[in-house]
């Protein structure tokens, strides 16, 4: 996983509430057995005017001129501003894969759906929840100023705006540690292998019917 | 000290390690796999040279991509026409073979939607922690299990370590007192709850469903209710174990037998919230007040009783809400003030992990028996949740009831719930669907989904428009 320390990037809007993971990456692209290459199909149904197909070259597809990410001013954006309950619905990790593959490293919203929020951290994408008024003021400042760039400082847990404002944010310490160091948490869990084995041994005594039925 | 909730008990029984930062390592008893969210996890194991921690904890079944058309289905994996879908199903077969994971393959009689198959085979049991790379894993909470969806990185994590790193959720009780009216089902309860608390209402919570109306549900109904916890924002929903649970589990293929059964039942009897347990939030509904529900918009919280009218964007309290309603009406091709009963579906879909169990099919068959699907309906699909459900339905003659009414009787799979196979809506088409999500494009590019119960979907199929199944049934008599 790509480490995340301090990231400075252009902000772009996804200005609607309850953006679901079907909208982030539609189902036909979930047929891929790979982990990469989903970027061109991020927000496919909003971004293009036609229906996308897996494996298709997207460069010749008709773009939706109304969709913000298609506007020149948001080209190269890496910080997504979003609204309430971002990432609701399906647990598909293809959603953060698509965001990351497109180039987004950070998503700022008033709230996130639990599974999506969790999936982001596994992929070097930092979701930041801020009060709705704070997010709204970031939206207004971004709309008012082309090239609106935010600096996300994970070690310090602050966002620095072009106006010189700093906005503090919360992040769980274990998740922060993994992101800062780009750590694979399977390796970390396997450091507790003895504890898992010990648990399993006493658990097998306590609930023997849970072992060995499927083989 | 206050007593424990069901969730507190399940959590406590599975903690391997608690950490200072509030996270914990939780042991996973059952890991279900399907073809869509597992290939990258197996690839990750391969790249790191890792093996599954415990083979007998895993069970795999292909469901999302499988064709439901019997001709295409008869060719097994090789017969899947779409090459991308075929490769994905084949990859599951290959991965299960390579890693020695038990798989129920495509044309096995037990195959079906993973959340129908798990409980049906006794692979998911009360008291278990159950995970799967699918958000509707909340379904298994109906058995008194701690069950939730995970992402693919966590699929790999569970395969490699038998554990998850997670954090305890808050407790929410959704209590439905009283009795449901005839014609009102678990699906209507689920939609009414979502209508009340919204699609983010359960975020950060584990929901326990309780109250007389919930205890009165069959296991099939309980699974429907827990299935849609995720549409209320909660990763997991659960229901206390009682005789209905234990009678359901008894004798299933992977359920314990003999002395082990007695031992298990004794432990399962403890799986309920203590009388003095405290919940962080309690939501109360009256069963009698719940009407048959129909969604009109592009989020499950955009739902109304069947007697309602489509809302006016201008009447919404905030700018974001106004915009959300306006956008939903535009996508759905509906106008403010329109009666729900004036909406005319083009297609009907009865199936999905929410509503494809035998009780769902019986409820739908009861409505269409001896009647015909309206001429305006282009297609009415009935897709059983598993081969076992299909066989049971055929033994009861339900397939004939559907076929005689002009509906299509299909092979088991996820089908038009998410349209990863050939079953999908055309742009602009309305669908009366027993599935769980009415998101834009969910059932096909430009498709317009209305979530309803099986009986309501069947009634809409016959009437050609949404209709209150309670009076529809009376009219038919």
């Amino acid at each position: 996983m790509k480490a995340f320390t301090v990231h400075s990037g252009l902000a772009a809007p996804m200005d609607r509430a309850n953006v679901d993971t079907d909208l982030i990456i539609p189902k036909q692209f979930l047929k891929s057995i790979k982990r990469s290459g989903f970027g061109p199909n991020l927000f496919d149904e909003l971004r293009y005017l036609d229906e996308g197909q897996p494996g298709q070259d997207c460069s010749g597809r008709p773009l939706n001129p109304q969709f913000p990410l298609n506007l020149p001013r948001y080209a190269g954006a890496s910080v997504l501003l979003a609204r309430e309950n971002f990432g609701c619905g399906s647990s598909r990790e293809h959603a953060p894969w698509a965001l990351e593959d497109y180039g987004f490293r950070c998503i700022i919203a008033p709230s996130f759906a639990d599974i999506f929020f969790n999936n982001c951290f596994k992929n070097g994408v930092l979701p930041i929840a801020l009060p709705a008024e704070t997010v709204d003021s970031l939206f207004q400042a971004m709309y008012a100023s082309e090239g609106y760039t935010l600096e996300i400082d994970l070690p310090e847990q602050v966002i620095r705006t072009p106006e010189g404002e700093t906005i503090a944010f919360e992040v769980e310490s274990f998740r922060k540690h993994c992101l800062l160091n780009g750590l694979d948490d399977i390796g970390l869990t396997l450091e507790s292998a003895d504890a898992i084995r010990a648990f399993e041994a006493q658990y097998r005594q306590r609930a023997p019917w849970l072992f060995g039925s499927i083989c | 000290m206050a007593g424990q909730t069901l969730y507190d008990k399940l959590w406590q029984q599975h903690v391997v390690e608690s950490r200072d930062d509030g996270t914990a390592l939780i042991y996973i008893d059952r890991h279900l796999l399907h073809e869509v969210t597992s290939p990258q996890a197996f690839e990750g194991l391969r790249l790191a040279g890792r093996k599954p921690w415990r083979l007998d904890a895993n069970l795999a079944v292909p469901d999302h991509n499988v064709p439901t058309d019997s001709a295409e289905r008869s060719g097994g994996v090789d017969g899947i026409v779409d090459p991308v879908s075929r490769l994905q199903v084949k990859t599951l077969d290959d991965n299960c073979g390579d890693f020695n994971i038990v798989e129920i393959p495509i044309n096995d009689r037990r195959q079906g939607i993973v959340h129908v198959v798990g409980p049906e085979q006794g692979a998911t049991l009360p008291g278990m922690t159950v995970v799967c790379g699918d958000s509707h894993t909340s379904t298994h909470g109906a058995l008194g299990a701690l069950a939730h969806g995970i992402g693919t990185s966590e699929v790999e994590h569970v395969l490699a370590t038998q554990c998850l790193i997670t954090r305890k959720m808050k407790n929410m009780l959704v209590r439905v007192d009283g009795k449901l009216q005839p014609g009102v089902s678990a699906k209507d309860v689920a939609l009414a709850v979502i209508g009340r608390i919204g699609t983010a209402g359960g975020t950060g919570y584990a929901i326990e469903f309780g109250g007389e109306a919930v205890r009165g549900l069959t296991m099939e109904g309980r699974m429907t209710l827990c299935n849609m916890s995720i549409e209320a924002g909660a990763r997991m929903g659960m229901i206390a174990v009682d005789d209905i649970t234990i009678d359901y589990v008894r004798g299933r293929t992977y359920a314990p037998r003999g002395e082990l059964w007695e031992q298990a039942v004794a432990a399962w009897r403890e799986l309920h919230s203590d009388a003095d347990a405290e919940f962080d939030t309690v939501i109360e509904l009256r069963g009698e007040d719940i009407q048959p529900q129909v969604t009109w918009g592009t989020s499950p919280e955009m739902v109304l009783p069947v007697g309602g009218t489509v809302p006016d964007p201008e009447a919404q309290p905030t700018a974001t809400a106004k915009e959300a309603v306006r956008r939903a009406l535009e996508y759905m091709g509906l106008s403010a003030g329109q009666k729900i009963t004036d909406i005319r579906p083009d297609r009907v879909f009865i199936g999905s992990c929410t509503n494809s169990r035998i009780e769902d099919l019986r409820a739908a068959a009861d409505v269409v028996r001896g009647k015909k699907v309206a001429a305006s309906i282009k297609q009415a699909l009935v897709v059983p949740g598993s081969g076992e459900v299909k066989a049971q339905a055929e033994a009861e003659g339900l397939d004939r009831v559907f076929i005689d009414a002009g509906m299509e009787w299909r092979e088991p799979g996820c089908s038009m719930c998410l349209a990863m196979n050939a079953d999908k809506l055309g742009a602009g088409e309305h669908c009366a669907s027993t599935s769980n999500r009415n998101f834009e494009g969910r059932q096909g590019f430009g498709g317009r989904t209305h979530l309803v119960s099986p009986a309501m979907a069947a009634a809409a199929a016959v009437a050609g428009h949404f209709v209150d199944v309670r009076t529809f049934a009376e009219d038919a008599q």
Side-chain angles (χ1 to χ4, degrees):
Chain A
M1 181 177 87
K2 227 186 266 181
F4 189 114
T5 49
V6 179
H7 175 80
S8 185
L10 180 68
M14 186 63 209
D15 198 351
R16 61 156 101 181
N18 297 314
V19 170
D20 57 74
T21 54
D22 275 80
L23 204 61
I24 297 174
I25 182 83
K27 86 285 272 168
Q28 63 269 37
F29 307 108
L30 274 51
K31 295 180 187 183
S32 168
I33 56 172
K34 296 187 185 146
R35 230 184 157 103
S36 57
F38 296 100
N41 301 110
L42 175 70
F43 299 124
D44 200 87
E45 293 184 3
L46 299 175
R47 195 162 147 197
Y48 304 99
L49 294 171
D50 63 346
E51 181 180 6
Q53 298 303 330
Q56 180 187 15
D57 175 8
C58 293
S59 58
R61 293 176 60 197
L63 293 172
N64 174 2
Q66 309 294 323
F67 187 59
L69 295 186
N70 290 334
L71 304 178
R73 65 173 286 190
Y74 296 120
S78 61
V79 177
L80 189 67
L81 293 187
R83 299 289 186 181
E84 286 82 3
N85 200 26
F86 188 83
C88 62
S90 158
S91 60
R92 58 188 69 168
E93 197 162 318
H94 310 67
W97 293 342
L99 287 158
E100 197 272 341
D101 196 56
Y102 180 91
F104 286 114
R105 296 301 314 278
C106 177
I107 303 157
I108 300 170
S111 59
F112 294 88
D114 287 331
I115 301 179
F116 174 82
F117 187 76
N118 196 36
N119 284 340
C120 283
F121 284 100
K122 313 282 184 190
N123 293 284
V125 175
L126 174 62
I128 299 177
L130 294 175
E133 314 80 65
T134 311
V135 175
D136 199 52
S137 60
L138 287 172
F139 264 100
Q140 301 318 321
M142 174 186 60
Y143 286 138
S145 158
E146 203 166 320
Y148 192 76
T149 298
L150 293 171
E151 185 181 83
I152 320 295
D153 184 334
L154 180 59
E156 296 296 318
Q157 292 184 216
V158 291
I159 300 169
R160 296 189 187 90
T161 71
E163 300 90 337
E165 197 186 349
T166 59
I167 303 166
F169 63 88
E170 295 293 319
V171 57
E172 287 176 19
S173 56
F174 178 71
R175 288 175 157 157
K176 178 177 176 178
H177 171 71
C178 288
L179 263 188
L180 285 174
N181 299 292
L183 290 177
D184 160 13
D185 59 6
I186 295 177
L188 292 177
T189 299
L190 286 174
E191 290 174 11
S192 297
D194 289 344
I196 301 171
R197 277 189 210 100
F199 175 89
E200 223 165 29
Q202 59 87 11
Y203 190 46
R204 195 185 284 266
Q205 297 293 315
R206 180 155 52 95
W209 61 88
L210 293 176
F211 291 80
S213 62
I214 296 180
C215 51
Chain B
M1 203 179 97
Q4 288 184 302
T5 65
L6 169 59
Y7 172 60
D8 294 339
K9 292 180 185 180
L10 292 168
W11 171 269
Q12 192 179 51
Q13 288 169 11
H14 291 87
V15 175
V16 174
E17 265 183 7
S18 287
R19 290 158 182 184
D20 294 341
D21 62 0
T23 61
L25 203 57
I26 293 294
Y27 191 80
I28 301 302
D29 297 316
R30 181 68 70 232
H31 182 206
L32 302 168
L33 298 109
H34 63 84
E35 78 277 20
V36 179
T37 55
S38 65
Q40 299 87 350
F42 283 114
E43 191 57 22
L45 289 186
R46 255 186 216 103
L47 289 171
R50 291 176 175 135
K51 289 193 165 131
W53 179 277
R54 212 189 107 195
L55 289 173
D56 68 334
N58 300 286
L59 182 66
V61 60
D63 57 3
H64 285 59
N65 279 277
V66 300
T68 62
D69 174 79
S70 51
E72 186 178 349
R73 185 64 169 264
S74 63
V77 180
D78 294 335
I80 301 175
V81 172
D82 177 348
V84 196
S85 289
R86 186 169 65 234
L87 176 63
Q88 198 164 50
V89 176
K90 177 92 172 48
T91 302
L92 181 67
D93 290 355
D94 292 348
N95 282 328
C96 290
D98 290 353
F99 288 94
N100 289 316
I101 283 172
V102 174
E103 184 196 11
I104 298 176
I106 182 166
N107 280 351
D108 190 297
R109 173 181 152 128
R110 301 165 300 160
Q111 182 274 345
I113 306 171
V114 64
H115 308 308
V116 175
V117 171
E120 190 172 76
Q121 295 302 322
T124 47
L125 296 170
M128 275 183 168
T129 42
V130 180
V131 296
C132 173
D134 190 286
S135 61
H136 289 110
T137 308
S138 57
T139 309
H140 308 266
L143 292 151
L146 194 169
H148 63 82
I150 54 177
T152 297
S153 294
E154 289 182 324
V155 169
E156 185 182 340
H157 193 280
V158 171
L159 281 169
T161 71
Q162 211 51 50
C163 292
L164 273 182
I165 303 166
T166 186
R167 179 177 282 270
K168 192 151 183 260
M169 316 296 276
K170 290 181 286 181
N171 281 290
M172 177 186 285
L173 175 65
V174 173
R175 200 175 66 224
V176 189
D177 293 317
K179 290 191 162 53
L180 300 180
Q181 301 173 40
V184 174
S185 72
K187 181 63 163 289
D188 301 302
V189 176
L191 288 169
V193 169
I194 296 161
R196 165 81 81 84
I197 69 174
T199 52
T203 304
Y205 288 95
I207 296 181
E208 178 178 344
F209 295 99
E212 185 188 355
V214 172
R215 286 198 304 277
L217 293 173
T218 61
M219 280 313 296
E220 285 86 351
R222 294 176 184 192
M223 288 187 228
T224 300
L225 185 55
C226 290
N227 173 276
M228 290 193 72
S229 305
I230 186 67
E231 274 67 50
R235 291 180 81 169
M236 58 193 105
M238 58 194 75
I239 294 173
V241 171
D242 60 13
D243 289 340
I244 292 174
T245 324
I246 289 167
D247 290 345
Y248 176 88
V249 175
R250 185 181 287 114
R252 295 196 178 263
T253 307
Y254 295 123
R257 288 169 203 282
E259 211 170 297
L260 273 184
W261 169 259
E262 299 303 329
Q263 206 181 335
V265 169
W268 296 343
R269 291 281 181 199
E270 302 301 316
L271 296 175
H272 54 79
S273 291
D274 295 331
D276 58 345
E278 285 178 9
F279 290 84
D280 299 287
T281 300
V282 179
I283 306 288
E284 296 172 48
L285 287 86
R286 288 292 313 175
E288 292 81 1
D289 294 344
I290 299 174
Q291 317 275 319
Q293 306 279 309
V294 183
T295 66
W296 53 267
T298 53
S299 165
E301 69 186 25
M302 293 174 164
V303 64
L304 283 169
V306 61
T309 55
V310 173
D312 183 352
E314 291 312 311
Q316 305 309 307
T318 65
T320 309
K322 280 186 176 67
E323 178 58 16
V325 172
R326 191 200 57 73
R327 199 196 312 262
L329 294 188
E330 186 185 322
Y331 180 85
M332 295 296 289
L334 299 174
S335 43
Q338 196 174 346
K339 283 185 184 169
I340 294 286
T341 49
D342 285 344
I343 300 172
R344 305 185 68 87
D346 301 286
R347 294 181 199 261
V348 175
F349 171 60
I350 297 172
S352 87
C353 59
T354 312
N355 280 131
S356 63
R357 297 177 183 83
I358 190 66
E359 175 183 294
D360 302 315
L361 302 188
R362 286 177 190 145
D366 283 347
V367 173
V368 302
R369 187 172 282 112
K371 303 192 182 69
K372 292 285 179 199
V373 169
S376 58
I377 303 283
K378 293 178 192 167
Q379 183 182 45
L381 278 184
V382 186
V383 185
S386 71
E388 298 281 9
V389 170
K390 183 168 186 265
Q392 176 66 31
E394 287 173 354
E396 296 178 20
L398 305 185
D399 57 326
R400 287 311 322 170
V401 173
F402 293 124
I403 293 165
D404 290 347
M407 299 171 125
E408 297 177 32
W409 179 243
R410 295 293 190 97
E411 299 297 323
C414 298
S415 182
M416 204 192 272
C417 171
L418 86 168
M420 274 189 81
N421 69 353
D423 310 334
K424 53 184 77 164
L425 299 181
E429 288 179 345
H430 288 265
C431 182
S433 179
T434 67
S435 55
N436 40 57
R437 288 184 176 138
N438 52 348
F439 298 151
E440 291 182 22
R442 170 82 179 180
Q443 293 192 287
F445 185 73
R448 295 161 167 170
T449 302
H450 301 275
L451 303 175
V452 287
S453 72
M456 284 288 286
V462 172
H465 56 88
F466 288 108
V467 59
D468 188 336
V469 71
R470 294 169 301 177
T471 50
F472 183 76
E474 280 167 25
D475 292 349
Q477 287 163 7

